[in-house]
Amino acid sequence: MIQGMLRFPEHAEVQKNGCGALRNLAFDADNAATVMQLGGAQVVLDAMRRHSGAPPVQQNGCGCVQNLASTSQHRAVLLSHGAVDAILAAMRRFPSEPLVQENSCGALANLASSRAPLERMLEEGAVEGAPHWHFLPCHSFSHTNLNFLVLWK
């Protein structure tokens, strides 16, 4: 899958399907480790940057990041490749796309499970709100009634 994405970087359909397949594979921890070892994080984030105007690529890319961000080691790699910037760009570009928003919030929640990315999100203006409580709108979580990802400092 990764090789196909590398071979056809300009084809949004290939990137959408590749990100989706990697998202599904990465749901399993062993598969997620393999995807990371093969450079899948960088390939997915490159696809998101290259096809920033394609909601299906953003939806599947954010979903993949969400599943890959299952360990602190994976989170460190994702952060070093600019995952937060890619996810925030998708959220800002597609505020009315519920599946982009849902997967983005899930990815940010998993990435923010350690302190450094949380502080980075606060610095980048990803969240707004009161001085000590920050709310990131998460429009349309279909499986929960969570409407905001609450971050605090």
Side-chain angles (χ1 to χ4, degrees):
M1 188 57 56
I2 293 170
Q3 289 302 314
M5 293 175 73
L6 290 170
R7 186 168 180 196
F8 301 102
E10 299 302 324
H11 292 267
E13 193 72 15
V14 170
Q15 301 304 308
K16 174 195 84 166
N17 291 332
C19 288
L22 293 174
R23 177 198 65 215
N24 292 339
L25 286 169
F27 189 75
D28 174 80
D30 292 334
N31 289 341
T34 300
V35 169
M36 294 297 290
Q37 289 170 354
L38 295 174
Q42 183 66 53
V43 172
V44 167
L45 293 169
D46 287 346
M48 291 177 67
R49 289 183 194 100
R50 182 172 281 115
H51 299 282
S52 61
V57 175
Q58 301 306 307
Q59 172 189 329
N60 287 344
C62 289
C64 186
V65 171
Q66 178 181 1
N67 289 346
L68 289 173
S70 58
T71 70
S72 60
Q73 183 180 15
H74 293 176
R75 286 190 291 275
V77 171
L78 288 160
L79 292 168
S80 73
H81 290 304
V84 171
D85 292 335
I87 294 163
L88 293 177
M91 292 184 84
R92 289 180 180 129
R93 183 150 192 168
F94 299 106
S96 299
E97 292 284 342
L99 294 176
V100 172
Q101 294 297 313
E102 181 176 344
N103 289 349
S104 296
C105 286
L108 289 175
N110 286 353
L111 288 170
S113 63
S114 57
R115 184 109 180 121
L118 173 58
E119 290 173 354
R120 168 89 189 283
M121 285 181 237
L122 293 171
E123 289 169 7
E124 293 291 322
V127 292
E128 300 173 357
H132 299 289
W133 291 97
H134 300 276
F135 301 92
L136 180 62
C138 292
H139 312 286
S140 187
F141 269 84
S142 61
H143 303 346
T144 71
N145 57 8
L146 178 65
N147 293 318
F148 292 92
L149 172 64
V150 180
L151 307 174
W152 60 91
K153 58 179 180 175

